[in-house]
């Protein structure tokens, strides 16, 4: 049986960590959809051609988690044809038997509008920049500037802008530990599974 959890939110809000923990706990498959956009950006050349020819090995590059790859991803992500080329793969993944959890920016709004549970994970820009800085290091002010620039681009684009779905549960993790956030999210999944 399909059971889909959509997890959206801004850069470095903790979506990935929460999604991985839920997938492990409930035995769901997990797709980090940001990785698709990062891989398209990292391929270089024509982004539309890169998206239509995206192959599993493109997702295995070891330079997809850098700040630069995040910036390149958010630039190609504004292109409607790039987004369209990635829809079928994401929807197929979401519909698989045994449950699936997808994290990104438009999962609850565009990719899976009928998801069983939609979470919108957020936190203040300062906290998110701090968490990202712990991961990637470098100059902290630069990391904050990058997080703010990416929020702007993701929120203000015309195609599938970052915003909570109307029926999403908002998890503001500014004052929570990651374990608190995972516990809250797991409780919500359990309640939906029991319905
Ligand atoms: O991990 P982090 O939240 O920093 O970024 P990510 O989820 O890997 O996404 C990188 C970029 O890809 C985002 O800033 C978005 O511009 C884009 N993206 C998107 O447009 N739609 C998605 N479903 C996932 C990512």
């Amino acid at each position: 049986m399909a059971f889909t959890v959509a997890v959206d939110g801004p850069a470095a809000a903790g979506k990935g960590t929460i999604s991985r923990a839920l997938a492990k706990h409930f035995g769901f498959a997990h797709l980090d959809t940001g990785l698709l956009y990062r891989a398209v950006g990292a391929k270089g050349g024509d982004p539309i051609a890169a998206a239509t020819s995206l192959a599993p090995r493109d997702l295995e590059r070891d330079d997809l988690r850098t700040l630069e790859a995040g910036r390149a991803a958010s630039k190609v992500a504004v292109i409607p044809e790039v987004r369209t080329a990635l829809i079928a793969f994401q929807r197929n993944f979401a519909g698989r038997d045994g449950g699936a959890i997808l994290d990104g920016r438009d999962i609850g709004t565009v990719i899976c509008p009928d998801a069983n549970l939609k979470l919108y994970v957020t936190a203040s820009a300062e906290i998110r920049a701090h968490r990202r800085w712990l991961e990637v290091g470098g100059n902290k002010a630069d990391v904050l500037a990058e997080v703010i620039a990416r929020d702007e681009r993701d929120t203000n684009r015309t195609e599938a802008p970052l915003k909570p779905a109307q029926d999403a549960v908002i998890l503001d993790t500014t004052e929570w530990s990651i374990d608190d956030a995972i516990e809250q999210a797991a409780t919500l999944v359990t309640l939906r599974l029991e319905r």
Side-chain angles (χ1 to χ4, degrees):
M1 203 190 66
F3 181 89
T4 311
V5 183
V7 183
D8 292 304
K15 302 180 299 287
T17 311
I18 293 171
S19 301
R20 278 191 298 277
L22 291 180
K24 193 165 168 213
H25 184 79
F26 292 98
F28 299 153
H30 170 229
L31 178 65
D32 169 2
T33 65
L35 213 54
L36 305 175
Y37 294 90
R38 286 172 181 263
V40 170
K43 264 179 121 177
D46 172 25
I48 299 172
T52 44
S53 66
L54 199 68
R57 75 186 131 73
D58 296 324
L59 305 179
E60 285 162 17
R61 296 173 59 134
D62 55 12
D63 59 352
L64 296 181
R65 293 274 163 220
T66 62
L67 281 188
E68 294 72 32
R71 183 184 315 140
S74 78
K75 287 186 177 165
V76 299
V78 305
I79 305 169
E81 292 86 347
V82 165
R83 308 199 67 85
T84 305
L86 302 175
I87 288 179
F89 177 78
Q90 295 176 83
R91 288 198 178 140
N92 280 338
F93 191 97
R96 64 168 59 195
D97 267 349
I101 177 156
L102 287 81
D103 74 269
R105 300 290 186 286
D106 62 339
I107 308 304
T109 50
V110 175
I111 303 296
C112 304
D114 298 325
N116 298 79
L117 174 65
K118 298 178 186 177
L119 302 176
Y120 187 87
V121 182
T122 188
S124 72
E126 287 71 20
I127 285 286
R128 289 185 288 116
H130 178 71
R131 292 176 187 162
R132 185 50 41 102
W133 174 75
L134 291 175
E135 282 170 14
V136 299
N139 179 307
K140 207 166 181 179
D142 288 349
V143 177
L144 176 61
E146 190 60 46
V147 161
I148 291 172
R150 209 130 67 76
D151 285 356
E152 287 240 339
R153 212 161 24 239
D154 290 349
T155 310
N156 295 324
R157 70 185 178 212
T158 327
E159 196 76 10
L162 171 66
K163 62 169 184 215
Q166 234 190 329
D167 50 351
V169 180
I170 312 274
L171 298 181
D172 186 334
T173 69
T174 306
E175 307 211 332
W176 292 354
S177 70
I178 195 64
D179 287 340
D180 293 339
I182 291 168
E183 201 180 310
Q184 292 282 343
T187 304
L188 292 165
V189 174
T190 303
L191 288 172
R192 287 303 153 99
L193 281 168
E194 284 169 356
R195 258 194 194 173

